[in-house]
Amino acid sequence: MTGTPTTAPPTAPARLPRLNRTTTAASVLTPARPPAETGIVHLGLGNFHRAHQAVHTAAALDHTEGPWGILGVAGRSATVARALREQQLRYAVVEISPSGTGVTVPAVHTGALVAAEQPDEVLDALAAPGTAIVTLTVTEHGYTFSPRTHGLDLDSPAVRADLRGDAPPRTTIGRIVRGLQRRVRTHARPLTVLSCDNLVGNGSQTRRLVHEFTEALPAAEREELLPWLTRAVTFPSSMVDRIVPATTEVYRAAVADRLGVRDAVPVPAEPFSMWVMEDRFAAGRPRWEHGGALFTDDVEPYELLKLRLLNGTHSLIAYLGALDGRETIPDAIARPFIAEAARHVLHDDYLPSLTVPADIQLEDYIRQLFDRWANTALGHRTRQVGSDGSVKLRQRVPEPALLHLRAGRMPHHLALTVAAYLCCVAPPSGFSPGPQAAAMADPAREPLAGLARRAPAAPRTAFVEAVLESGLLGDGLTDHPAFTARIAELIDIIVRHGPGAAAADACGPR
């Protein structure tokens, strides 16, 4: 282990040879014998897949060999795929903690494609006889479902184009179904589709969307695919958990310092990693249990534990931190008012809404969460965690909020989460949320900003009503005007007095 670098080492990475199959030190390569055959096609070749599923697969193949190489598929951006090809499908995972830096090189990829550039190759890979599993990390936004119904968004131009089939598919669900069509027309071997994204019941949700897309096809195509799809394709649910920040020059420098090679696309990650899955695989799987994965008949309690205690609390930390001018999550959680707000939303609002799995020691789990958020060496940015809140929050806030509201309790910190989010992405006129909030990417930013411009400055209740009526957080919360009023009140406090005052109000006596 070496100390975590904060500046580039004396040897500049640009002068070093490129990371590849021959220059990697054997001590950091895993597995020792990389797979030669592709058994998994992964959609979403971003940092999270390469720091989580690929690492677990490499660890599994260190114990038991098999045809479980991963063909990675990026959606539109070619940056990672091209870099991996130039590096002979090698990259480094830089594991960061305050105690030091560790570097490993997972060697499990057998190829790297870009769907926008190589659509037929992607469909052929999905249909290949050797492909037994299709995995996904495309973010919540990548499933093209309606926020109101959670069904396939048939109003999406991309979905409609994919259903017409007059061009290569552009959506994730479209690619999967078109690949399944090729599969059933050739050999019809069984397949597993495994979502690794932060969706409640992600397996059931993915199955629903694939079936809805199939049902919307012309009759001949639907009748050809649907019986085999129902019989031969499984959609297990999973829960994945690892904090994976964006790649920066600091991590490229860490690889150069540790391995003496240049890596264009290293992946930083925290030491913690967890993967829980249903064991419903139609055509076999790697021995992921040897790589630390847990198999269970009921993933939902683990999903909710992560989506609410980790992800939901993480969102509040990010929004309050951004509004307070904090660049990173560790900087944010170091602020006493943010740490207190995090504890309140976790204990008061989220924890009563779930059942803790029997094998989870809750006090240890919560203590570990705060240690992870406080990992100053990792430096996870508030702008990254806060991005795509319009998709993330509807997975995290409505159900626990409704549980409390229907019981006559006000979930003050869930209201604070929504208020802080809206101040970040749709700030009221004359209010500046700061550069971290302004840098958050969100597909709903413009529509929400339009609602903010059209709503009267006072009372802010009209703005929040318009937001909830838009379906941002589903439909149920519109039946609780007290919750609307509480969000509006907290927005007003943030605008007038800052996020610290709003957090104090949420924590104050009732």
Side-chain angles (χ1 to χ4, degrees):
M1 302 291 281
T2 59
T4 302
T6 56
T7 59
T11 302
R15 300 176 184 173
L16 296 171
R18 197 74 173 258
L19 173 64
N20 59 45
R21 293 176 187 173
T22 60
T23 58
T24 303
S27 61
V28 298
L29 183 68
T30 179
R33 295 177 61 185
E37 299 177 54
T38 297
I40 302 169
V41 174
H42 181 80
L43 306 181
L45 192 56
N47 276 16
F48 189 80
H49 156 69
R50 292 185 296 126
H52 188 272
Q53 180 198 345
V55 171
H56 281 272
T57 302
L61 294 180
D62 256 342
H63 289 269
T64 305
E65 294 183 5
W68 296 114
I70 301 173
L71 173 66
V73 179
R76 291 182 298 275
S77 174
T79 302
V80 172
R82 287 175 181 169
L84 287 179
R85 290 195 292 264
E86 290 172 2
Q87 296 177 181
Q88 298 178 316
L89 303 172
R90 300 290 190 260
Y91 68 95
V93 174
V94 186
E95 194 172 282
I96 305 292
S97 71
S99 62
T101 300
V103 177
T104 58
V105 177
V108 293
H109 290 91
T110 55
L113 302 177
V114 181
E117 298 177 356
Q118 301 155 293
D120 279 335
E121 291 181 51
V122 172
L123 297 183
D124 284 343
L126 294 172
T131 299
I133 303 171
V134 175
T135 54
L136 298 87
T137 53
V138 294
T139 77
E140 300 94 328
H141 185 57
Y143 288 77
T144 53
F145 61 85
S146 164
R148 286 188 180 276
T149 67
H150 284 246
L152 187 68
D153 185 2
L154 294 173
D155 293 328
S156 163
V159 171
R160 292 201 301 268
D162 285 359
L163 285 168
R164 289 193 302 269
D166 51 8
R170 292 185 289 164
T171 68
T172 300
I173 301 301
R175 288 185 187 115
I176 291 172
V177 173
R178 295 303 183 187
L180 294 180
Q181 285 182 306
R182 291 196 183 190
R183 195 174 183 92
V184 76
R185 290 167 184 168
T186 52
H187 53 82
R189 292 185 179 176
L191 185 74
T192 296
V193 179
L194 177 68
S195 169
C196 300
D197 283 300
N198 287 328
L199 298 170
V200 176
N202 54 15
S204 299
Q205 178 75 340
T206 305
R207 181 185 185 279
R208 174 182 179 180
L209 296 172
V210 168
H211 276 254
E212 287 180 356
F213 189 103
T214 303
E215 293 280 3
L217 290 171
E221 294 183 54
R222 179 175 67 249
E223 291 169 6
E224 173 191 48
L225 179 59
L226 192 57
W228 174 81
L229 173 62
T230 302
R231 180 181 68 255
V233 183
T234 60
F235 297 83
S237 286
S238 72
M239 185 282 284
V240 297
D241 186 4
R242 195 173 205 188
I243 294 175
V244 182
T247 299
T248 67
E249 290 302 323
V250 168
Y251 305 115
R252 294 184 180 95
V255 175
D257 186 44
R258 183 67 179 266
L259 302 184
V261 295
R262 175 166 50 98
D263 183 0
V265 286
V267 180
E270 65 171 336
F272 180 91
S273 186
M274 188 175 185
W275 197 6
V276 183
M277 288 173 275
E278 293 178 315
D279 201 354
R280 294 192 299 110
F281 290 80
R285 62 169 176 81
R287 299 295 297 274
W288 276 316
E289 58 268 40
H290 291 311
L294 173 68
F295 288 91
T296 178
D297 293 332
D298 187 8
V299 172
E300 183 175 293
Y302 297 90
E303 289 178 333
L304 295 181
L305 190 77
K306 192 237 177 178
L307 284 168
R308 296 178 185 174
L309 299 196
L310 170 62
N311 297 132
T313 307
H314 212 184
S315 290
L316 179 58
I317 295 167
Y319 297 128
L320 291 178
L323 293 170
D324 195 49
R326 306 297 154 178
E327 183 177 2
T328 70
I329 294 296
D331 289 343
I333 201 68
R335 297 281 284 162
F337 83 87
I338 296 178
E340 184 178 10
R343 293 190 183 280
H344 274 284
V345 76
L346 190 156
H347 285 281
D348 300 346
D349 292 353
Y350 282 125
L351 192 53
S353 74
L354 54 84
T355 300
V356 178
D359 59 348
I360 297 292
Q361 298 297 319
L362 184 60
E363 290 185 5
D364 292 341
Y365 181 81
I366 293 173
R367 182 167 53 251
Q368 192 174 44
L369 286 180
F370 279 85
D371 288 343
R372 294 167 67 190
W373 292 324
N375 185 345
T376 54
L378 200 59
H380 207 184
R381 294 183 179 181
T382 52
R383 67 178 66 180
Q384 181 184 357
V385 177
S387 288
D388 293 330
S390 58
V391 185
K392 294 173 179 176
L393 293 187
R394 66 173 170 244
Q395 300 289 325
R396 303 168 189 178
V397 169
E399 189 172 327
L402 287 169
L403 181 147
H404 289 287
L405 292 166
R406 289 166 180 165
R409 301 185 298 269
M410 175 59 65
H412 292 276
H413 286 83
L414 295 179
L416 178 63
T417 300
V418 178
Y421 162 72
L422 291 173
C423 284
C424 283
V425 302
S429 178
F431 173 72
S432 174
Q436 307 308 322
M440 291 177 182
D442 198 301
R445 180 181 281 276
E446 285 306 313
L448 291 175
L451 294 177
R453 287 191 297 269
R454 292 190 293 272
R460 300 191 193 279
T461 307
F463 167 57
V464 180
E465 285 176 348
V467 169
L468 296 182
E469 288 169 1
S470 75
L472 179 82
L473 298 176
D475 293 328
L477 292 173
T478 58
D479 297 332
H480 297 274
F483 188 65
T484 300
R486 185 59 171 137
I487 295 170
E489 182 180 28
L490 290 166
I491 290 175
D492 195 60
I493 296 172
I494 290 171
V495 170
R496 292 175 180 271
H497 306 292
D505 190 88
C507 293
R510 314 290 179 227

